[in-house]
Amino acid sequence: QSDCTLVTAVSCHDIFDLQTGQSDSSPLAKGTAFAFIKAVQSVNERLVKLSEKQTLLFEVILLGKDCEEQAKSKIFDSAKYYLEIGKFCFCSKEKFERTLQENHVKLFLSSDRDDVHVPAALLCQQADQQVQNQLKVLFSGDLIGLTEDSTEYLKDLGFNDVQIHNFKAAKGRIQEFAMLIGEMRRRFGCEDSPLHTILMTVWGSRDICATALKTLRAWGLDVDEAFCLAGAPCTPILTVLQPHILWDDGLHN
Amino acid sequence: MSLDPVQVMKGQDPMALSPPPASNGDSKVSWDEKEGFCDSVGPKKPKSGPVRRARKVEGGIFFPKPENAVTIAVSSRVLFRTEKEQKVFEEKGVEEYLKYQVEHENEPFAPGPAFPFIKALESVNTRLRELYPESEELFDIVLVTYNHANVGVRLINTINHHNLFIERFCMTGGSSPIGYLKAWHTNLYLSADAEKVQEALSEGIAAATMFMPEKQIEVSETQLRVAFDGDAVLFSDESERIFKAHGLDKFFEHERENENTLLDHGPLKGFLETLGKLQKKFYAKGHRLDCPIRTYLVTARSAASSGIRALKTLRAWGLETDEALFLAGAPKGPMLEKIRPHIYFDDQMFHVEGAVEMGTIAAHVPYGIAQKYPHKKKSTNSAK
């Protein structure tokens, strides 16, 4: 497992709908993460097409936190039915973070805001399950454009010191992931890329946005799209964008 | 019937065939004065994070909610001059273009055709904030470009250099900006790309393509001046169709017969309406004479005949322009040169080009029948 693999862990609760009752034989219904997995697969396919000895690829691990025994085998079978997942990890809630570390997970995705741990991003519900032949990753300009001098405006908005400290820490975690995404993105041209990156600054000024753009560039990532909202509601924009991954550490609510 | 252009000032009505309805909105402002509702909430709840509110700064609101403001979306190609870069894009492709932009990142762009208009909007905002510091009824300018985000740093550097107050932008990296225009509740979209403008018009968003005048006549820095053509801009293209299909005589006949039938509305009617609402806010505080917004109707219709229907329609809509110029077919260029609008909307490229030649900042509204039958340009200017 090379350092270059972008290991992403997804909760089995997001890949499959574990709530609704299932008959024993049929596979589980698809969940939120499904479109994401499909999009990731098309990125991998394109990367391999460019070079067969490709090492920079996505690897998706399916994580099951506190799953019942019955559910486990069901998940196993369903996963094989639908898609190729590299690995399965079932663990308890307590061992969760260790499991992430042991598997060199660079990014954990969950659709449950309360669930997101380090390093983690939000998995977004896709309105249209079919459309995605492009993996869309959205980064927060407020987090990435954060510098020592620019925390005042966050305080004005009502964030406390602890939260602001957490945001600063988040910036560091995003870096590794962003660098890998940047490298992947560079393999493709401006147009017709299966990977699409977006920067969104919700609260910060245009200078924060410029800092974020330059920071990402220094990390090797040239984003495709950039938005600066200056406090305007982000939901209407997100509805048009439909990102799969949203990394904002709760900054945007 | 006089062939000289007639200037009709608001308040003097040589055409009083029926008493005008009381359209002077001195008393009440039509919009609700919505308070930034989150501001009145007490201590902030610790868990849920920031309460989204219009950011308030000393001296008024600077970041209104899009649905409350008059949102003007402007593309980078009309706000700034980007001809050189366009050329690189067309001749060498997108990768070279982006490289060029990054290399010249610290060189600000020069002002483009929409620049004076945007500056004028900012001065209106300053006056509005002085009179109504709590109000979100302001112009909100959003830079909407389908440029790749790589150009973002250069655009932000340019905005800083020119001291523009633009904090909101969308760089869509090649995707259509139309979805975002709607998300921003856009009231007017200005672009260099006729296709995008047409797409916006078909989605019900007022839009126009802007052109850079060769020579630039000076425009006011304290008063926003917006001039509109009548048919197919404020009004529908109904009468244009008659004219194009059956000629001038039929047109006059049709207008006379339908004098008391209202014209249908055109794509820029809504924008005139929002300007009118803002004007009333100034009147309400005693600033009728020095109102920083002034509107003009500049139409080829003639005052004594076909112009009547236009005026009656505006009245019925509760709208008015400060000045109405009926040119009876005379060229618009000289009139516009006198008015010096920050922007002039016309549906016919012929008029737009004529205006631009004389230094007026003109915008083409690609709406209606005129787009199918472009006017053949006369080699000499003997219109009489």
Side-chain angles (χ1 to χ4, degrees):
Chain A
Q1 195 173 48
S2 76
D3 230 3
C4 270
T5 324
L6 218 167
V7 181
T8 319
V10 187
S11 160
C12 57
H13 292 277
D14 282 323
I15 297 192
F16 298 116
D17 181 2
L18 294 173
Q19 305 299 51
T20 58
Q22 298 287 330
S23 73
D24 270 318
S25 47
S26 61
L28 294 164
K30 303 175 194 173
T32 316
F34 212 80
F36 163 72
I37 305 265
K38 280 286 176 194
V40 159
Q41 283 184 322
S42 59
V43 174
N44 277 356
E45 274 163 21
R46 289 281 300 272
L47 283 169
V48 167
K49 236 196 232 168
L50 288 172
S51 147
E52 274 186 23
K53 300 212 192 95
Q54 190 65 261
T55 48
L56 180 60
L57 292 168
F58 276 102
E59 186 187 316
V60 181
I61 298 183
L62 201 155
L63 262 180
K65 215 192 325 171
D66 287 336
C67 282
E68 295 171 348
E69 283 306 318
Q70 276 180 309
K72 281 185 198 174
S73 61
K74 191 78 190 173
I75 290 166
F76 228 18
D77 292 332
S78 301
K80 284 191 186 142
Y81 190 98
Y82 283 120
L83 27 83
E84 300 158 22
I85 293 207
K87 240 174 167 180
F88 297 82
C89 286
F90 295 103
C91 65
S92 67
K93 204 165 173 186
E94 295 78 36
K95 298 241 177 75
F96 186 67
E97 297 221 12
R98 241 227 335 227
T99 312
L100 287 177
Q101 275 169 13
E102 279 168 7
N103 287 283
H104 306 282
V105 173
K106 303 265 178 1
L107 177 67
F108 170 62
L109 289 173
S110 170
S111 61
D112 183 354
R113 270 207 178 269
D114 292 328
D115 200 17
V116 288
H117 298 276
V118 168
L122 195 66
L123 187 64
C124 297
Q125 177 85 44
Q126 295 295 298
D128 188 344
Q129 291 283 344
Q130 275 138 337
V131 173
Q132 303 309 339
N133 47 10
Q134 206 181 44
L135 177 66
K136 292 193 184 174
V137 184
L138 192 147
F139 294 96
S140 158
D142 295 284
L143 279 181
I144 297 174
L146 204 56
T147 57
E148 279 312 318
D149 327 316
S150 68
T151 51
E152 277 309 308
Y153 83 98
L154 287 172
K155 290 208 186 105
D156 284 339
L157 287 168
F159 290 107
N160 59 41
D161 287 330
V162 173
Q163 288 172 307
I164 294 180
H165 172 82
N166 287 339
F167 294 144
K168 288 190 195 167
K171 181 176 170 179
R173 293 192 299 267
I174 292 176
Q175 180 168 352
E176 197 184 354
F177 177 71
M179 290 175 81
L180 285 171
I181 291 280
E183 226 190 293
M184 257 191 211
R185 180 68 188 84
R186 271 200 299 278
R187 309 266 159 113
F188 305 102
C190 271
E191 286 147 11
D192 190 35
S193 165
L195 180 58
H196 197 76
T197 54
I198 304 149
L199 179 74
M200 184 180 286
T201 308
V202 177
W203 303 111
S205 66
R206 60 181 184 250
D207 291 319
I208 302 258
C209 186
T211 307
L213 285 170
K214 289 189 210 163
T215 308
L216 284 173
R217 189 192 288 165
W219 291 350
L221 173 56
D222 282 321
V223 285
D224 297 285
E225 294 188 54
F227 296 84
C228 199
L229 304 186
C234 54
T235 315
I237 306 282
L238 287 174
T239 309
V240 180
L241 272 173
Q242 294 282 302
H244 294 93
I245 301 175
L246 200 157
W247 200 327
D248 69 356
D249 257 51
L251 191 66
H252 301 139
N253 220 9
Chain B
M1 208 186 304
S2 150
L3 289 173
D4 296 328
V6 171
Q7 213 160 345
V8 177
M9 299 294 289
K10 198 163 40 172
Q12 307 163 24
D13 190 1
M15 239 80 52
L17 298 174
S18 53
S23 54
N24 300 320
D26 283 306
S27 46
K28 296 241 186 311
V29 176
S30 42
W31 287 347
D32 298 326
E33 285 271 314
K34 285 186 208 133
E35 270 185 64
F37 60 91
C38 298
D39 302 303
S40 51
V41 171
K44 301 181 188 80
K45 297 194 184 86
K47 193 184 178 195
S48 52
V51 181
R52 197 159 278 128
R53 59 174 191 237
R55 230 202 285 181
K56 269 168 128 182
V57 183
E58 287 278 332
I61 293 185
F62 285 78
F63 303 105
K65 291 193 211 63
E67 60 265 30
N68 297 339
V70 181
T71 307
I72 312 286
V74 61
S75 108
S76 54
R77 280 171 62 191
V78 295
L79 183 57
F80 304 122
R81 298 202 68 159
T82 57
E83 287 102 297
K84 231 189 292 173
E85 289 74 13
Q86 261 311 106
K87 214 156 160 241
V88 174
F89 174 68
E90 278 156 18
E91 289 173 3
K92 301 195 184 146
V94 65
E95 309 273 351
E96 280 300 315
Y97 164 78
L98 290 176
K99 231 174 80 180
Y100 182 94
Q101 292 281 28
V102 173
E103 277 166 19
H104 294 85
E105 208 160 72
N106 293 313
E107 294 166 31
F109 293 110
F115 193 91
F117 177 60
I118 300 297
K119 274 293 206 190
L121 295 179
E122 284 180 12
S123 21
V124 175
N125 272 357
T126 309
R127 294 278 302 271
L128 280 170
R129 273 185 214 113
E130 282 166 16
L131 299 173
Y132 301 92
E134 307 286 309
S135 174
E136 288 187 275
E137 286 159 2
L138 298 163
F139 287 110
D140 185 27
I141 300 143
V142 183
L143 184 66
V144 175
T145 171
Y146 40 103
N147 253 314
H148 196 273
N150 247 340
V151 191
V153 179
R154 189 174 185 191
L155 285 172
I156 295 172
N157 285 343
T158 306
I159 291 172
N160 285 337
H161 172 85
H162 292 291
N163 221 1
L164 288 173
F165 197 83
I166 300 178
E167 293 283 351
R168 295 180 162 163
F169 38 89
C170 296
M171 291 179 248
T172 72
S175 327
S176 167
I178 302 300
Y180 304 118
L181 290 180
K182 287 194 197 167
W184 282 104
H185 300 267
T186 304
N187 294 87
L188 177 67
Y189 173 48
L190 299 173
S191 168
D193 185 323
E195 256 183 60
K196 296 282 181 293
V197 165
Q198 268 169 334
E199 222 188 309
L201 284 175
S202 63
E203 297 282 339
I205 301 171
T209 333
M210 289 196 81
F211 299 89
M212 190 76 212
E214 303 256 321
K215 59 171 183 165
Q216 273 221 282
I217 51 178
E218 256 186 54
V219 289
S220 166
E221 288 192 7
T222 50
Q223 188 184 59
L224 169 69
R225 295 184 179 182
V226 184
F228 299 86
D229 175 30
D231 296 286
V233 174
L234 289 179
F235 312 116
S236 74
D237 68 341
E238 165 199 329
S239 309
E240 293 264 6
R241 287 175 180 266
I242 307 276
F243 173 62
K244 289 271 192 289
H246 304 290
L248 198 57
D249 286 338
K250 250 311 187 201
F251 164 76
F252 279 127
E253 199 188 300
H254 181 262
E255 291 305 291
R256 215 174 28 246
E257 282 168 10
N258 290 283
E259 210 173 84
N260 293 307
T261 314
L262 298 185
L263 286 160
D264 212 349
H265 69 89
L268 271 291
K269 178 218 174 194
F271 185 59
L272 175 64
E273 199 165 357
T274 47
L275 290 177
K277 283 182 183 173
L278 290 177
Q279 282 180 309
K280 289 189 177 111
K281 294 186 79 164
F282 286 101
Y283 302 162
K285 298 259 175 165
H287 289 281
R288 190 178 267 274
L289 291 180
D290 62 339
C291 182
I293 301 174
R294 197 160 177 85
T295 55
Y296 304 78
L297 171 67
V298 181
T299 173
R301 285 175 181 254
S302 79
S305 56
S306 48
I308 298 171
R309 193 178 177 202
L311 279 181
K312 284 193 172 186
T313 304
L314 281 178
R315 289 228 185 88
W317 289 343
L319 298 182
E320 40 189 13
T321 54
D322 292 281
E323 294 182 38
L325 287 79
F326 297 91
L327 300 175
K332 297 185 178 182
M335 248 331 133
L336 288 167
E337 206 195 352
K338 273 207 245 163
I339 296 173
R340 295 166 179 243
H342 292 90
I343 190 167
Y344 165 60
F345 296 102
D346 200 304
D347 67 307
Q348 304 205 44
M349 268 311 290
F350 170 71
H351 287 132
V352 171
E353 279 162 2
V356 165
E357 261 169 42
M358 300 198 70
T360 298
I361 307 168
H364 181 227
V365 184
Y367 173 79
I369 196 74
Q371 314 319 310
K372 297 206 183 95
Y373 302 100
H375 188 127
K376 288 189 192 58
K377 216 175 173 167
K378 294 199 178 83
S379 49
T380 56
N381 58 0
S382 54
K384 305 188 185 95

